[in-house]
Amino acid sequence: MATEAQAGVLAGPVSRPTFGLGRLKRFARRQPLGTASAVVIGLLIFAAVFADAPFMRTTDPKEFGSNILVPPSGEHWFGTNRNGQDLYSRVVYGARPSLMVGMATVLISVVGGTVLGLLAGYLGGVVDTVISRLSEVLLSFPAILFGLVVATWLGPGLKAVIIAISIIFTPVIMRIIRGAVLVERQRMYVDAARVIGCSEARLMFRHILPNIGPLVIVVASTTLPAAILAESALTFLGVGLPLGEPSWGNDLGPQARAYFNMAWWLAVFPGVALSLTVLAFNLLGDALRDELDPRLRGSGLGEG
């Protein structure tokens, strides 16, 4: 009887993404925008990790001050808000909740959506019907409205925002992965592995999953900026992070918006930080898509 290794030969090389030094150099040469975006993201992660360090901020971002609505100056680089709080410190600290929400959402929704997509696409039948119908129910609600309802029900806070956004993105990712699995399960290596007695679970996670690995990576890279934008939107609408908590959504929220006409810096600096973050992740996602799997070009994945 054929061995599992021989079945792998019939399948051809599994498209396992590798990230050696040579691959990274080629990526930097072929994808300059993606490389620049990766540098920007690295700086954002550094700012989020060391947001509490004295060298990253000028004052405590939550500390009220007497200098109210002061324009950018040597003392307050991004100016101050209506509470006299230093806007530069708040923008730097605001990177932390945004990246925490984005990464946690990617972890939950990509893992959940990938597992559900594998089960639905490979097993089919009743399993596919149940998972697909449930996802359609969730997708039938407008995303922002559904997020508002969930976040309001759970109450303001980082955990509530992560849960609400994860529920929004999981069915979307499930449908993408399900479509890829439907294609993969028709390939020769799946038949070969099934002939030698490979279990369903091993076939899904040992054989099919590595072959859709590049797609999973691309989906993760495009979900993260969308999650960051969703967190800012929920916070802006008052159901995300608590009022007063340093975040880009709070700094662009209704209470700050009343002062935009007289203090332009209140909208510019948090808005630029949010836009730059989303743009950097989207550009990196496009670069990863083109580099890891050229077949995904033009598919619409990763398009802003």
Side-chain angles (χ1 to χ4, degrees):
M1 181 177 289
T3 65
E4 190 170 340
Q6 289 171 329
V9 172
L10 292 175
V14 177
S15 55
R16 300 176 190 270
T18 57
F19 298 96
L21 184 59
R23 184 71 178 268
L24 291 176
K25 289 181 178 179
R26 288 195 300 273
F27 178 84
R29 185 172 61 253
R30 296 174 182 174
Q31 305 289 346
L33 278 179
T35 304
S37 299
V39 172
V40 171
I41 292 169
L43 293 175
L44 286 168
I45 294 174
F46 181 85
V49 172
F50 296 101
D52 290 321
F55 64 85
M56 283 299 299
R57 63 184 188 183
T58 53
T59 62
D60 187 335
K62 300 180 183 180
E63 180 182 347
F64 285 60
S66 57
N67 297 325
I68 298 175
L69 296 179
V70 173
S73 63
E75 183 179 359
H76 301 286
W77 298 346
F78 290 177
T80 62
N81 62 13
R82 69 191 186 283
N83 296 321
Q85 296 166 319
D86 183 71
L87 197 58
Y88 165 77
S89 298
R90 291 182 64 84
V91 169
V92 170
Y93 196 93
R96 176 177 291 180
S98 293
L99 290 179
M100 286 178 64
V101 168
M103 292 178 179
T105 299
V106 165
L107 179 63
I108 296 171
S109 60
V110 170
V111 171
T114 299
V115 171
L116 291 174
L118 276 169
L119 294 173
Y122 180 76
L123 297 178
V126 177
V127 175
D128 184 23
T129 300
V130 172
I131 294 176
S132 296
R133 295 300 84 79
L134 287 175
S135 69
E136 289 168 5
V137 170
L138 291 175
L139 291 172
S140 65
F141 297 97
I144 191 65
L145 178 61
F146 186 80
L148 280 170
V149 171
V150 175
T152 302
W153 176 55
L154 295 174
L158 198 63
K159 185 184 297 184
V161 172
I162 292 172
I163 293 173
I165 298 174
S166 297
I167 294 175
I168 292 172
F169 285 110
T170 297
V172 177
I173 296 171
M174 187 284 296
R175 292 172 68 88
I176 295 173
I177 300 302
R178 174 183 176 274
V181 173
L182 288 174
V183 174
E184 289 296 319
R185 76 174 186 179
Q186 304 298 326
R187 299 191 184 278
M188 183 184 299
Y189 72 88
V190 175
D191 294 332
R194 190 179 291 117
V195 165
I196 65 171
C198 188
S199 67
E200 304 285 13
R202 187 173 180 83
L203 205 157
M204 283 189 291
F205 293 100
R206 180 69 183 272
H207 293 277
I208 294 179
L209 182 58
N211 279 282
I212 62 172
L215 176 61
V216 174
I217 293 174
V218 171
V219 168
S221 67
T222 55
T223 300
L224 203 151
I228 291 174
L229 202 57
E231 177 272 322
S232 295
L234 291 175
T235 302
F236 176 84
L237 293 172
V239 296
L241 299 182
L243 288 176
E245 188 72 19
S247 78
W248 299 333
N250 269 332
D251 287 332
L252 292 170
Q255 292 187 350
R257 188 171 53 186
Y259 299 92
F260 285 175
N261 289 335
M262 65 181 73
W264 57 266
W265 55 90
L266 296 179
V268 169
F269 293 114
V272 168
L274 177 60
S275 301
L276 185 62
T277 300
V278 173
L279 178 62
F281 276 109
N282 277 326
L283 290 176
L284 181 60
D286 286 345
L288 288 174
R289 177 196 62 198
D290 294 344
E291 187 70 18
L292 293 175
D293 194 345
R295 293 174 301 175
L296 297 177
R297 295 175 186 173
S299 66
L301 290 172
E303 300 298 330

